[in-house]
Amino acid sequence: MKKALITGVTGQDGSYLAEFLLEKGYEVHGIKRRASLFNTARVDHIYQDPHIEDSRFHLHYGDLTDSSNLIRIMKEVEPDEVYNLGAQSHVAVSFEAPEYTADVDALGTLRLLEAIRFLGLEKKTRFYQASTSELYGEVREIPQTETTPFHPRSPYAVAKMYAYWIAVNYRESYGIYACNGILFNHESPRRGETFVTRKITRGIANISQGLEECLYLGNMDALRDWGHAKDYVRMQWMMLQQETPEDFVIATGKQISVRAFVSMSAKEAGIELEFSGEGVDEVATVVAVDSALAPAVQVGAVIVKVDPRYFRPAEVETLLGDPAKAKEKLGWVPEITVEEMCAEMVASDVQVAKQHALLQAHGHQVSVAVE
Ligand code: NDP
Ligand code: GDR
């Protein structure tokens, strides 16, 4: 039975990847952080009682900033495959906490690779690095491929650039089977609430049920190539099953703006929007509503505004990936469209919003705010 170790198992991708690998028959080990509240909501449904003999899902406390902890876990598990998904993954937050972001995202990767070397696992353990389209930043070529030059635009992207190159370097220097997946944005109902797609689907759902009045966003012109996390974790595994390690761009090859994603989400929730104004004065007004779906929304209401607090010191305006290499060499094609993904996210958030509205109607306090 193959053993996999996933850092960031409690995150969006980690949870889908753990499910995927368990279905493939792997023994899956994940690193979770100690927190004052439970942080395992995304993997609770695959939890297995550690007391039973054939349990195949194990969680270990750990942190990418702690070398001795990583070495101990690697020694205990001796994994066939390591998926390094753990990261301070929020671009805007990386401007607020640049040093911590570098420690986790850049040095954390080095610590894991060093653990492989220190334990003599170079020939046994294959290593997947969660690289990112943010490496392209100020894009030099459209669409972006494996050979497009990098120009990172945030402390997050700069840290991930170190991680990208240290994985390449350990492959070249020590023969470690290390791959970079250069993944473009991918989302799902499990996406963190402060990333823009989830902030939108959750905000629109809350507005449709009367829990919030207005959604505040930053740059609505930003263009992204959005795919579904389920499609992308499949590719993470496929990358480690090749004879020789290589780096791959994973994307859909289509892009839409943040504004278009707002419209799409609103439509899913029964709300037709019209955008007017420019820059910080841009707003979205309700022009039609299906009151069976969105009982709390009135025609004429302004439900989306721009808040410059969400602008970034340096922005990545446009990203569009070319997944041709992944299609040709691995036969990978994304199966879920952005429209299907948006519908799934809105449906999931509307269900939660209805439950919260019910609780609120019965006098319970519900927290809906999200930054
Ligand atoms: P999430 O933010 O959902 O998950 C990040 C995970 O990393 C969480 O499990 C988090 O733990 C964990 N983590 C954070 N800090 C540390 C630390 N110091 N030590 C150990 N673990 C830590 O990210 P995604 O699942 O969306 O992304 C997975 C990876 O892929 C990340 O590296 C991200 O940068 C990268 N990526 C993501 C893309 C996307 O569009 N989703 C695109 C390209 C790359 P906790 O739950 O406790 O917070
Ligand atoms: P990104 O994702 O920065 O691409 O990083 P995010 O969803 O945060 O932003 C996408 C674009 O939307 C614009 N935007 C807003 N973003 C947020 N978060 N909140 C807002 O209110 C808002 N308004 C507009 C942003 O400016 C940006 O242009 C994600 C993360 O998952 C990274 O870890 C990963 O590496 C990249 O995707 C690929």
Side-chain angles (χ1 to χ4, degrees):
M1 190 193 300
K2 272 195 182 176
K3 284 190 203 173
L5 174 67
I6 304 174
T7 72
V9 74
T10 56
Q12 171 187 254
D13 287 16
S15 65
Y16 283 116
L17 181 65
E19 269 171 23
F20 179 86
L21 294 175
L22 286 170
E23 271 166 30
K24 286 240 164 269
Y26 277 66
E27 181 176 306
V28 176
H29 295 256
I31 296 185
K32 68 171 174 181
R33 296 196 287 174
R34 148 74 192 154
S36 66
L37 293 170
F38 288 128
N39 58 1
T40 52
R42 292 187 181 102
V43 287
D44 282 345
H45 63 290
I46 50 173
Y47 175 83
Q48 295 178 7
D49 185 346
H51 304 100
I52 59 170
E53 219 171 84
D54 55 355
S55 168
R56 286 195 291 116
F57 185 52
H58 307 271
L59 292 176
H60 307 254
Y61 279 110
D63 200 293
L64 282 160
T65 59
D66 184 341
S67 296
S68 59
N69 160 267
L70 295 174
I71 292 171
R72 190 179 45 72
I73 295 171
M74 289 280 283
K75 184 164 188 277
E76 205 177 303
V77 178
E78 291 204 352
D80 299 287
E81 295 168 9
V82 171
Y83 295 87
N84 184 30
L85 310 184
Q88 190 303 92
S89 72
H90 203 285
V91 173
V93 171
S94 79
F95 288 98
E96 309 286 326
E99 188 180 329
Y100 175 70
T101 304
D103 196 2
V104 178
D105 299 11
L107 294 182
T109 308
L110 175 68
R111 290 182 185 109
L112 275 173
L113 287 163
E114 270 297 291
I116 291 177
R117 225 159 68 81
F118 183 76
L119 296 167
L121 295 171
E122 296 96 325
K123 294 284 166 273
K124 174 182 170 75
T125 302
R126 295 185 168 199
F127 185 82
Y128 172 85
Q129 172 56 23
S131 285
T132 164
S133 51
E134 284 294 298
L135 296 173
Y136 301 118
E138 184 78 44
V139 298
R140 309 269 184 85
E141 190 172 80
I142 299 171
Q144 294 86 56
T145 71
E146 290 77 5
T147 56
T148 302
F150 297 149
H151 182 146
R153 296 267 289 166
S154 63
Y156 165 79
V158 174
K160 283 283 187 175
M161 182 135 152
Y162 176 89
Y164 172 94
W165 281 115
I166 203 68
V168 172
N169 181 252
Y170 273 48
R171 179 167 80 206
E172 292 172 354
S173 306
Y174 306 115
I176 292 177
Y177 188 115
C179 296
N180 284 288
I182 307 174
L183 270 56
F184 283 62
N185 300 52
H186 48 279
E187 322 291 310
S188 72
R190 295 187 200 164
R191 185 56 144 154
E193 289 89 340
T194 60
F195 296 97
V196 78
T197 54
R198 183 74 200 289
K199 183 173 165 183
I200 292 167
T201 58
R202 189 174 173 275
I204 294 285
N206 283 342
I207 291 167
S208 77
Q209 304 306 313
L211 292 166
E212 276 184 82
E213 286 181 358
C214 189
L215 170 65
Y216 292 91
L217 294 170
N219 177 14
M220 289 211 269
D221 293 321
L223 291 158
R224 287 291 184 278
D225 177 332
W226 276 299
H228 195 295
K230 255 190 183 172
D231 276 334
Y232 287 43
V233 300
R234 191 172 75 249
M235 183 61 204
Q236 295 171 0
W237 172 78
M238 287 170 97
M239 245 179 263
L240 293 197
Q241 311 312 310
Q242 305 308 301
E243 210 162 288
T244 44
E246 280 186 77
D247 306 322
F248 288 91
V249 160
I250 305 301
T252 69
K254 292 182 189 136
Q255 65 173 186
I256 63 167
S257 66
V258 169
R259 186 179 300 103
F261 195 87
V262 173
S263 277
M264 199 188 281
S265 307
K267 215 173 253 172
E268 279 299 325
I271 305 165
E272 200 81 43
L273 291 176
E274 192 172 83
F275 289 85
S276 59
E278 270 182 32
V280 290
D281 296 322
E282 182 169 0
V283 296
T285 308
V286 177
V287 291
V289 63
D290 179 343
S291 45
L293 291 176
V297 177
Q298 305 292 327
V299 170
V302 170
I303 62 163
V304 184
K305 288 184 184 170
V306 171
D307 182 341
R309 270 194 314 148
Y310 300 115
F311 292 162
R312 294 168 181 185
E315 174 63 307
V316 173
E317 292 290 348
T318 175
L319 288 173
L320 175 65
D322 177 359
K325 181 178 172 188
K327 280 181 188 161
E328 274 159 33
K329 290 209 159 175
L330 306 172
W332 177 85
V333 276
E335 287 168 4
I336 306 168
T337 64
V338 69
E339 290 83 4
E340 288 165 344
M341 181 188 79
C342 178
E344 185 190 351
M345 291 173 73
V346 170
S348 161
D349 281 326
V350 165
Q351 198 184 1
V352 175
K354 281 184 175 165
Q355 189 64 20
H356 284 173
L358 183 69
L359 285 167
Q360 211 171 52
H362 287 82
H364 298 280
Q365 278 227 319
V366 180
S367 161
V368 291
V370 69
E371 275 296 295

